[in-house]
Amino acid sequence: MSAHPGQGTAIERAEWGADASMQAVATLRPHVIVLFGATGDLARRKLLPGLLRLSHAGLLPECHIVGTSLDGFDDDAFRSFARQACDEFARADIVAGEWDAFAERLRYVPQDAGPAGLAATVARSEAVLGTEHRRLHYLSTPPSAAHGVVKALDEAGLVERSRIIMEKPFGTDLRSAAALNEAVHRVFAPEQVFRIDHFLGKEAAQNILAFRFANGLFEPIWNRGHIDHVQIDVPETLSVDSRAGFYEGTGAFRDMVVTHLFQVLAIMAMEPPTSLGPDAINEEKNKVFRSMRPLDVRHVVRGQYEGYRSTPGVDPASETETFIALRCEIDNWRWAGVPFYLRTGKRMAEGARIISIAFREPPKSMFPAGSGIGDHGPDHLTFDLADSSKLSLSFYGKRPGPGMTLDKLSLQFALHETGRETDALEAYERLIHDAMSGDRTLFTAAEDIERLWELSAPLLEHPPPLEPYPQGSWGPRSIDDLIAPRAWRLPFERGWRQRA
């Protein structure tokens, strides 16, 4: 067993503390990266291609990558699996020499080898890397497996000099989240634990911080005096497919709102931090969560797409929601009275990830009847959180010609216009690199998670009834009543300008 989560010299402990997070761009020490669930869908689609991209970009230190899962692979079989995954999902063509160098980093140990087998495989890699190595454990596993993985790492003696990345959901309610945090913190110190939210790793999400706090134009109007309401909208066209077993015990609220949408809300709504360090940013996020009112089930719509119950692995009488829309409020000086509307669901009309901020409309008495003022709703500032990273500011302007006729116009920006689109890291790439660097800025904390489950208790204990909705729609009809007299921003009346 590990002696204590705080073991190590004072210098070593300081390195793993908050001060180390500011050294994200410093040279990284050699690492052994252990991927649990290394043959699963997340590893295949994101983690292995992401590690290859980091290697190609010169952002991966000297390291060995040890995969482990239920499959009975050896090193060569795992390398073949990784090559197929990267061929299918890597964002750039694979160069033969670069692949050979990356493949040499890959090792594999079957899960049935137990803690002793894992320890022996890691020890062989560490013998090659030398005495200054570190360890990064990535749990690409179902949440129910987290306890067993943490126990196995402890029994294998792999806790010291390590960090652990955990995938959501972090529990299913306050009780289970607190129990999971307690179990993990018995083995790993809090500063060793990185709870990943890939939404926060997106370039567009971080651009919200730059947009708000680096520009004197917008921060003065970022409050209840100028903003009418905010929408965070993440519709998906995908069905649950092979994730039916996981989704049945989770649903849209636990899968997306607690772990993603609330975190994006906090970045959008928080007060200016004293610095860009993780402690300062997490403190401001925590203030937002502490100021949020518990969810009111009268302002929640739960839906289930037609045909979901016939999906293999789904209970024919399932009460699991595949759609949720809700209104939440932040009871503090900046946001009092400003509603935040969140919506997400499966099998919807379009796939998108946007934050839309609606500004209060000005008095209109000076404009003549029929001028068009107000006909297209309020001015909006819209952030597109997709990998393409775009933002738009809509406003009314005069139509050329005689008289005073107004049209809705927009200013738009897209990442590709900077000429540095290829420099952007995909969310998992950035977050893996940050974890190796000890930078906790874009990760969620145990305190955050437990507070959000506390706020969610009224909904979890007394969920409103499910409403069916057609596949390919925007959700149940009652969502219009939820937001009335306002309107949902999606679908857009005007699309984004297409790339030339």
Side-chain angles (χ1 to χ4, degrees):
M1 299 290 287
S2 57
H4 188 274
Q7 62 193 354
T9 67
I11 294 175
E12 185 177 54
R13 293 289 295 161
E15 178 187 354
W16 292 100
D19 290 343
S21 65
M22 302 306 295
Q23 306 300 323
V25 297
T27 301
L28 297 175
R29 295 192 178 189
H31 270 69
V32 174
I33 301 172
V34 182
L35 292 182
F36 291 87
T39 60
D41 191 60
L42 178 62
R44 186 172 67 93
R45 290 176 175 269
K46 295 294 185 180
L47 303 184
L48 290 166
L51 287 166
L52 175 63
R53 170 77 191 286
L54 289 174
S55 178
H56 173 71
L59 294 173
L60 197 65
E62 184 183 359
C63 72
H64 282 188
I65 300 165
V66 176
T68 181
S69 74
L70 295 174
D71 290 291
F73 286 177
D74 58 15
D75 290 354
D76 289 338
F78 182 51
R79 288 167 182 156
S80 177
F81 171 86
R83 179 59 194 253
Q84 293 175 6
C86 293
D87 281 340
E88 186 173 359
F89 295 107
R91 293 194 292 155
D93 293 337
I94 299 175
V95 179
E98 292 176 350
W99 171 257
D100 292 341
F102 180 75
E104 282 298 313
R105 302 172 183 256
L106 301 178
R107 305 286 186 273
Y108 188 84
V109 54
Q111 188 172 313
D112 59 14
L118 178 62
T121 302
V122 172
R124 286 195 293 271
S125 290
E126 291 181 339
V128 176
L129 295 175
T131 60
E132 298 299 319
H133 63 271
R134 300 301 188 210
R135 300 162 179 156
L136 180 68
H137 308 302
Y138 198 119
L139 274 61
S140 177
T141 56
S144 59
H147 291 268
V149 173
V150 170
K151 180 180 179 182
L153 288 170
D154 195 12
E155 293 176 355
L158 298 176
V159 175
E160 189 176 5
R161 303 188 312 279
S162 72
R163 299 183 178 104
I164 181 172
I165 298 178
M166 301 187 66
E167 279 284 344
K168 56 88 175 173
F170 311 108
T172 56
D173 53 22
L174 177 59
R175 181 177 179 179
S176 61
L180 177 59
N181 287 331
E182 181 182 5
V184 173
H185 291 162
R186 279 199 298 266
V187 177
F188 291 92
E191 64 265 27
Q192 291 178 283
V193 183
F194 289 69
R195 297 168 182 83
I196 196 168
D197 177 4
H198 70 272
F199 270 51
L200 297 185
K202 291 180 175 295
E203 196 78 34
Q206 296 170 72
N207 202 33
I208 297 172
L209 294 175
F211 190 88
R212 284 189 61 187
F213 302 129
N215 299 292
L217 179 61
F218 296 101
E219 180 57 25
I221 62 172
W222 211 268
N223 55 57
R224 58 186 171 86
H226 299 277
I227 293 176
D228 178 78
H229 69 280
V230 178
Q231 297 179 35
I232 302 176
D233 212 346
V234 187
E236 297 181 296
T237 58
L238 299 174
S239 64
V240 298
D241 291 330
S242 60
R243 300 179 70 223
F246 162 79
Y247 206 84
E248 262 294 272
T250 306
F253 180 75
R254 290 181 172 93
D255 185 40
M256 290 293 294
V257 178
V258 177
T259 52
H260 294 321
L261 273 61
F262 280 157
Q263 295 294 331
V264 173
L265 182 153
I267 291 290
M268 184 270 159
M270 71 183 191
E271 296 297 318
T274 56
S275 74
L276 290 180
D279 290 343
I281 288 180
N282 284 332
E283 174 57 24
E284 297 306 331
K285 286 172 56 185
N286 283 335
K287 288 179 183 178
V288 173
F289 297 143
R290 291 195 294 267
S291 298
M292 285 175 61
R293 293 179 178 177
L295 296 181
D296 186 339
V297 296
R298 296 174 300 176
H299 302 309
V300 178
V301 175
R302 295 172 68 242
Q304 186 183 86
Y305 66 76
E306 295 171 354
Y308 171 76
R309 292 178 178 177
S310 62
T311 303
V314 171
D315 185 342
S318 173
E319 289 295 307
T320 298
E321 79 279 354
T322 62
F323 171 97
I324 191 155
L326 58 90
R327 167 179 171 157
C328 57
E329 298 181 7
I330 302 172
D331 194 13
N332 64 15
W333 188 267
R334 183 183 291 263
W335 297 112
V338 177
F340 288 73
Y341 297 99
L342 280 57
R343 176 174 64 166
T344 187
K346 299 288 188 183
R347 296 298 295 147
M348 298 184 67
E350 296 177 15
R353 297 173 178 180
I354 71 161
I355 302 174
S356 188
I357 300 163
F359 293 98
R360 295 192 182 279
E361 297 189 62
K364 306 167 187 175
S365 58
M366 63 183 288
F367 293 96
S371 65
I373 184 70
D375 289 355
H376 300 281
D379 300 336
H380 283 87
L381 176 63
T382 302
F383 292 88
D384 187 338
L385 301 185
D387 291 336
S388 56
S389 186
K390 299 186 289 267
L391 64 86
S392 171
L393 177 63
S394 68
F395 58 93
Y396 285 95
K398 183 183 178 300
R399 182 185 301 174
M404 181 58 74
T405 303
L406 303 178
D407 289 327
K408 204 61 178 292
L409 308 174
S410 68
L411 298 172
Q412 295 187 9
F413 161 81
L415 178 62
H416 68 79
E417 295 172 359
T418 66
R420 304 192 65 177
E421 185 178 16
T422 57
D423 292 348
L425 292 177
E426 196 271 344
Y428 281 99
E429 296 165 5
R430 178 186 304 278
L431 293 170
I432 290 172
H433 184 269
D434 283 357
M436 287 190 291
S437 305
D439 188 340
R440 301 170 51 81
T441 305
L442 301 176
F443 293 83
T444 59
E447 180 182 354
D448 296 356
I449 297 300
E450 293 184 19
R451 172 58 178 165
L452 292 174
W453 285 122
E454 181 182 6
L455 293 168
S456 305
L459 172 59
L460 299 178
E461 293 169 3
H462 303 287
L466 284 174
E467 301 178 35
Y469 64 95
Q471 296 188 37
S473 71
W474 286 100
R477 293 182 179 179
S478 60
I479 63 171
D480 293 328
D481 297 329
L482 173 68
I483 202 171
R486 304 172 178 93
W488 291 100
R489 184 73 167 137
L490 286 175
F492 286 131
E493 291 184 9
R494 300 178 317 281
W496 294 97
R497 283 198 295 268
Q498 297 301 310
R499 185 172 186 171

